[in-house]
Amino acid sequence: MNSYQLNLKTLLERSVRCFPNNEIVSREKDGSLFRYKYARFYDRVQRLANALISLGINKGDKIASFAWNNYRHLELYFGIPCYGAVLHTVNIRYGQAEIIHSINHAEDKVLFFDKDLLPTIEAISHQLPKVKAYVIMGKSIPKTTLSPLYSYEELLSENNSNFRFQELEENTPATICYTSATTGLPKGVAYTQKSIYLHALTLCQTDVMGISEHDHILPIVPMFHVNAWGLPYAAIATGAKLVLPGERPKASDLLELIELEKITYAGGAVTLGVDMMTILEDRPFDLSSLRKFQLGGQAVPKAIIEKFLNKYGVQIVQGFGATETSPMVSFTRIRRDQKQFNDDEKINIYSRQGMLIPGLEMKIVDDLGEELPWDDKHMGELLVRGPWIASEYYNDERSKAAFVNGWWRSGDIASINYEGSIRIVDRNKDVIKSGGEWISSVQLENELMAHPTVLEACVVAIPHEKWQERPLAFVLLKKGINNPKIEVDLIDWLSLKFPKWWLPDEIKIVDEIPKNANGKFNKNLLRKTASRTQLT
């Protein structure tokens, strides 16, 4: 067979040629919508490539983006890697130390950023010695200490669209993303032309997301996080309509976009789904166009899946993934032999993390590394390998512990049933070890969030003199709930599903549950808060 190099330019150029009039929509700061066609998008991507030459960028150089989900960021998604440079999508929710570390560690030469994020960049620029130029993603240059500073639109207008993308060796790095840094400094994962190409096409499979030219895609998950789960690449690869939510979108903004643009597929964090449910209780939106709404970042509580389906007619799907896996590893689906199941049985299937995606391998192992059976009873660490799974961290000695004999160690404790469906029990560091037995914080959280008065719940371990660890629950109630016996009621609620020794020793009602840079519950911070007191 032809020794053909898998390149992103192939996906880009096919769609531009076949669907030049298909639309890309981007929400602006004032709430208005910017619209343009694939043909204009490609013209600007070519101009961007020529602009990179004018900035002195060579193939293999790292270029940072510090931006929201908008059309200019999308142009970077294709212009930079198709040119042969590497796009580093910097997490805008990092603290200063993590932002500085990731930009310096990646050795970024140019930094593209959105105008509203200028103060953050100004505050740290003196600590970015390797950045040689800044590009503000707008039309004009504000008064600033940054130098040299270029305007994105001026750069594009000064360069023509005659650039012709060349075929690259398929293992050429295309993008780099850093982990969410729950402990220690973020770790970089580099994705290649081949890995993004294969991952994007896999998302288009019917048994995965089923992305097609008929779809209207809304990537709510930030574009700085694992290539926005690959949704922008899959959308452009197929010619789908792509709708980008822009700067600091609120849940109400996203619901308006779903209604207005007839979104068929959206993807975002579980916590966002919770916010949307709260708004929908007070204000109706037309969600009938949504064929699927993917929630991720953590296990989706069954109560959320039930409510979206039964009240709003929206099918929630989920999967398993991570920065190290591009990110999709598994995806929930109903098998042929499960089509006759009743709604309750199907919701139970969608409550799991789904089946392994074609092209990958997985296994669960015990503490000694021995493989465990797929019987949904044995629980062990989930290991994965395949063509879009990382083999190392970028220039990081922590690779030795995370990658073993071609397998990535996820750090997630899981069981797999006879049909190959994954159930994530907990993160290895989050599972509660009490009296020699394991307690799943995820299962406790999901059941707490099924209670009609609970909006969010997070369970962590607290030290115990006798039992080693015991569960402590942090609960955020829905607005207007005033029940002095709520802690007792919640324990009674849990006792219907779990043995007594699983029940939290204490339930704390809080005004807010902290989130990390990717919108997940910040268990590390809550553990620090909880560890100040030891239970006896």
Side-chain angles (χ1 to χ4, degrees), residues 133-284:
Y134 298 88
V135 180
I136 190 164
M137 308 265 272
K139 298 178 181 179
S140 59
I141 298 177
K143 185 176 181 180
T144 177
T145 57
L146 297 180
S147 179
L149 177 64
Y150 302 89
S151 157
Y152 185 84
E153 291 302 329
E154 287 183 6
L155 274 178
L156 264 57
S157 66
E158 291 168 358
N159 287 278
N160 60 41
S161 57
N162 65 354
F163 192 91
R164 294 295 175 262
F165 296 108
Q166 302 300 309
E167 182 180 273
L168 302 169
E169 200 283 321
E170 63 185 15
N171 290 311
T172 300
T175 67
I176 185 169
C177 178
Y178 281 72
T179 58
S180 56
T182 52
T183 56
L185 288 169
K187 295 167 285 191
V189 178
Y191 310 114
T192 65
Q193 295 279 333
K194 175 182 176 181
S195 70
I196 298 176
Y197 181 107
L198 291 174
H199 184 265
L201 291 190
T202 301
L203 299 187
C204 302
Q205 293 185 16
T206 303
D207 284 341
V208 191
M209 295 179 184
I211 303 298
S212 81
E213 189 266 340
H214 294 265
D215 276 312
H216 297 187
I217 308 297
L218 177 64
I220 302 168
V221 58
M223 290 173 71
F224 58 69
H225 180 52
V226 203
N227 294 335
W229 295 351
L231 284 168
Y233 288 118
I236 296 297
T238 57
K241 176 178 178 177
L242 190 57
V243 180
L244 300 165
E247 179 183 324
R248 306 178 196 276
K250 301 187 294 291
S252 56
D253 299 324
L254 299 167
L255 288 166
E256 287 177 0
L257 282 174
I258 291 171
E259 180 178 270
L260 179 65
E261 300 300 323
K262 306 299 181 188
I263 300 301
T264 60
Y265 196 101
V270 171
T271 49
L272 175 70
V274 173
D275 291 342
M276 284 184 168
M277 283 198 310
T278 302
I279 291 171
L280 287 166
E281 289 176 359
D282 298 325
R283 179 183 171 189

